[in-house]
Structures are given as C-alpha cells and as structure tokens.
Amino acid sequence: MVGYSFMGAVHSHAWRTAPRFFDLPLAPELTALAGRNAAGVQVAADKFGWDSVETDWRRLIERDDIDLIDICSPGNTHAEIAIAALEAGKHVLCEKPLANSVAEAEKMTAVASSAAERGVYSMCGFTYRRTPALALAKRMVDDGRLGELRHVRAQYLQDWLSDADAPLTWRLDKSKSGSGSLGDIGAHSIDAAQWITGSSITGVSALMETFVKERPIGGDFIGLGGHGGTDGPRGPVTVDDAAIFTARFGGKTSGAGRTSDGGPIGVFEATRFALGRKNAMRLELNGTLGSLAFDFEDMNSLSFYDAAHEDAGFRRIIVTEPSHPYVGNWWPTGHGLGYEHGFTHQVVDLVNAISAGEQPAPSFSDALQVQKVLAAVEASAEAESRWQKV
C-alpha cells in the first residue's frame, strides 16, 4: 500500500478485517507499506500490522512477493503508480478520484484495459457503493420499485473547513488534489448517482466558489483540518470550497428499472463549509412509482415512499437484516455498521472478482466517466455556468 494517513488507516483496517468476517477465496497479506517519511511509515506499519516498509513506492513494484498495489496517496501520484503497477502485472486498487485530469484518467484506463486482457485487474475506491443502505437502494431501483426515474437530488455536506484559519493542507492545493470539494466529496455523489440509476450524466451547468482565498501555512493539524496561526504566513487556496450543478442523465443502461428516453434530471451540491454537517452524503431519487432517500449521517437506514400506499408516507427501513447487502456477515439484526465497513466490503468484492477472473467494479472506465463529469463541471463554472456536455 502507498500512503498511510487517513485513507491508509482505513484501508489497512479493511484488509485485516475482511478475511475475518467473510470467507475469501484468496488470503490478503499485509506485506509492505510505503511512505516518504521513514519514521512515519514505520510507526504506521507497526500500528496497522504491515510486515515491512519502503520509502519509495517503486520498490513495491519491483518486489516479487507483492501481487496488488493499493494507492492511498494524493491524486497527483495516482497515474504514475497505477500505470507502473499494472504494467508490472500487479492488480491495483486506487482511491478516488481516479486522477487529477481526464487525460491522466484516460491513460490509466487504457493501461487497465490492456492489463485486464492478461488477467490483471484494477478498481477505483468509490466505497459508498458498499454502504448496505445504498446497495439496497440500487437493488430496489434495478427491481423497478421506483418505476421511471425523474429526479436525482444529491448533496455532500461537511464543515471541517469552515474555520478561515484552518491550515493549508495538500487537499487545498490543486496541483496535488486536482480540485477541492468537487473532487474530494462531490465525486462520491456523482459515482453513487450514476451507479444507482444505471445512467450516465451527459451534461451539466455549474457554479463553484472559493470562500477563503488564503490560509495559514502550518499550525495544529486535527483530522482533515485543524487551526493555523493567525499572525504567520498564509498561502493561496487553489481549489473550490463549494460546487453546485444541475445535470441531465442519459437513458437507463442496466437493470430492470426504467427512465424516460432523456433520462432523469439532477441537482448536486458539494461543500466543506456547511456548519453542523459532518458527513452528510445524501441522495434522493424520485420516480413514477416511489422515492428513495438516504443520508450517511443515518447510514443504517433508507427511506422509501411507495406511491401505491401514499397514505403511509415515507417508510424507514432499518438496513440491518441478514437479507440486506453485506449485512449477513456481521452482527445480529438491529446492530448497525459504521464508516469503516464500506472499505471492508470493498476488499471483499475486489478479492472475489480477482479470484473469479472478473473485472471488479467500479472499473477505471467507470471512474473515467466520473472524471469527465468533474471536468465538465469545472468548465461550466469557468464559462459563467453555460451548459457543458460530458
């Protein structure tokens, strides 16, 4: 694995946990952890249970005892590492967004396609697909429970950057992160919406804003943010703080659910400035036969409205039954899951696909489609919100 901070910690947990709760056809071994800071990566390896460390990710590619590379480093590193790993015959799990540009994502996808023909597979880490409630929503849409889809309403609301003196981190540097709230959290909403509806976004009209133009260099780093000094030097924020856009979806591409010929219309919002919202990844779908609503801050439930029983209003489904996606391998009914479980389910799906010789999902091609939407949103915002085709 490359990277050992936030994503490195949760991925490490997932690799260790998956084979203890799911019967996997292959046994994951935490062989080597890579990071540039020798002391830091050793501490992380000892804490998370990795057998060895490297300070150069290229050494991972050279090692014969490694079959898969898990990329948890900033976006500007994804393309080089993933391409080198795939060309060396190693499977790849890459965190989202896939890259920092469409051009990079296209190169990665082309290499991934070629590698798959040799039985070497890759997957992008859009883990919200593995949240049981959202996986249940996908099942219900595919089963036609919502009928013809008309509206998609997606929000991803956080507040950890609301303090204007939060320090300048790599996530606020476009050269490293690619974009701000749009790529960091908006990408999740885009992928989830396209996956659940089975439809691709074909056009957008967007508005983006950076509320705080400069932030302290250094300070006390807490979680993703923290607090910097008010009197010290400040550096420029080169990414968006918030992004909103309207979208048109194409026709249904898979599953039993239906959309109109032109597809549903959508409204998306991503911000890290919504005070009081900690991780409100929300999705609502409205169709001709019913509606579904989800909020990750209440992640073990899914709200369903059945138009055939309109007097009943929305029904709250507690997604903790053994019949629900992934849940049967965990706790008794009513005992909820948490954020980390989605990453465990990601490992399960990836290992099962590799063992079966099948392309895991979401593929790099799926992630490329998300990257194209991100690029279209930025292009529209830069062009005074003019309609931009994807």
Side-chain angles (χ1 to χ4, degrees):
M1 188 165 71
V2 184
Y4 57 87
S5 189
F6 172 29
M7 281 297 103
V10 73
H11 279 235
S12 297
H13 179 276
W15 284 111
R16 290 184 63 83
T17 304
R20 289 165 171 78
F21 285 86
F22 293 79
D23 295 326
L24 299 183
L26 300 170
E29 297 177 355
L30 279 65
T31 304
L33 179 65
R36 291 176 296 179
N37 183 306
V41 71
Q42 186 63 64
V43 169
D46 293 341
K47 182 177 182 179
F48 302 139
W50 291 87
D51 292 339
S52 63
V53 300
E54 300 284 359
T55 54
D56 186 338
W57 62 263
R58 294 168 184 83
R59 303 292 82 80
L60 302 180
I61 307 297
E62 297 167 355
R63 289 177 59 162
D64 293 331
D65 58 344
I66 292 174
D67 301 306
L68 183 146
I69 303 294
D70 185 350
I71 304 171
C72 296
S73 46
N76 64 316
T77 68
H78 289 184
E80 185 181 11
I81 299 171
I83 289 172
L86 290 168
E87 289 181 340
K90 301 184 189 298
H91 307 293
V92 170
L93 171 60
C94 183
E95 257 303 324
K96 62 83 225 160
L98 186 61
N100 279 6
S101 69
V102 171
E104 286 182 341
E106 287 176 335
K107 291 178 182 177
M108 295 169 72
T109 301
V111 172
S113 177
S114 177
E117 295 177 358
R118 307 190 307 272
V120 179
Y121 297 106
S122 54
M123 186 171 80
C124 190
F126 286 106
T127 55
Y128 286 103
R129 291 188 179 205
R130 273 80 188 189
T131 303
L134 280 180
L136 178 62
K138 167 68 171 171
R139 180 191 295 175
M140 294 173 73
V141 170
D142 285 350
D143 288 345
R145 301 289 297 276
L146 268 60
E148 184 178 292
L149 296 179
R150 290 173 171 167
H151 289 283
V152 175
R153 204 165 291 107
Q155 294 178 312
Y156 203 143
L157 313 177
Q158 297 178 338
D159 71 354
W160 60 272
L161 269 179
S162 297
D163 181 357
D165 291 322
L168 192 66
T169 68
W170 70 266
R171 293 178 186 271
L172 305 178
D173 181 348
K174 188 175 178 64
S175 68
K176 294 183 175 65
S177 63
S179 64
S181 62
L182 176 63
D184 186 24
I185 55 180
H188 277 301
S189 296
I190 294 166
D191 178 73
Q194 293 187 137
W195 169 63
I196 291 178
T197 63
S199 307
S200 294
I201 293 173
T202 59
V204 299
S205 174
L207 181 66
M208 298 171 68
E209 182 62 48
T210 302
F211 300 116
V212 179
K213 313 296 184 184
E214 292 184 333
R215 289 185 176 276
I217 298 174
D220 296 323
F221 295 89
I222 303 171
L224 296 176
H227 192 79
T230 58
D231 299 326
R234 302 174 80 89
V237 175
T238 53
V239 300
D240 59 286
D241 286 330
I244 58 175
F245 64 95
T246 55
R248 167 72 71 182
F249 287 75
K252 188 78 177 181
T253 58
S254 65
R258 297 188 302 115
T259 69
S260 58
D261 291 340
I265 57 175
V267 179
F268 290 76
E269 179 183 10
T271 180
R272 300 183 289 203
F273 276 70
L275 277 170
R277 302 300 179 190
K278 303 306 177 182
N279 201 43
M281 189 276 194
R282 299 169 169 177
L283 187 65
E284 181 171 321
L285 306 173
N286 307 129
T288 55
L289 300 180
S291 296
L292 286 169
F294 170 79
D295 186 339
F296 192 79
E297 290 188 343
D298 186 16
M299 65 168 290
N300 290 292
S301 72
L302 179 67
S303 295
F304 174 51
Y305 176 77
D306 187 346
H309 304 283
E310 59 182 22
D311 292 342
F314 271 91
R315 175 166 63 93
R316 186 167 181 254
I317 303 170
I318 305 300
V319 190
T320 60
E321 298 294 329
S323 60
H324 293 149
Y326 303 107
V327 177
N329 286 73
W330 294 103
W331 321 122
T333 296
H335 295 73
L337 303 187
Y339 173 72
E340 73 278 12
H341 290 84
F343 293 86
T344 302
H345 302 155
Q346 175 174 263
V347 165
V348 171
D349 290 345
L350 175 58
V351 171
N352 282 328
I354 290 173
S355 177
E358 299 173 352
Q359 173 59 53
S363 66
F364 277 17
S365 180
D366 296 327
L368 171 59
Q369 163 62 19
V370 174
Q371 201 78 44
K372 289 179 178 179
V373 176
L374 298 177
V377 169
E378 287 192 300
S380 174
E382 291 171 357
E384 298 181 331
S385 305
R386 285 197 290 272
W387 187 257
Q388 182 75 28
K389 290 184 178 181
V390 177

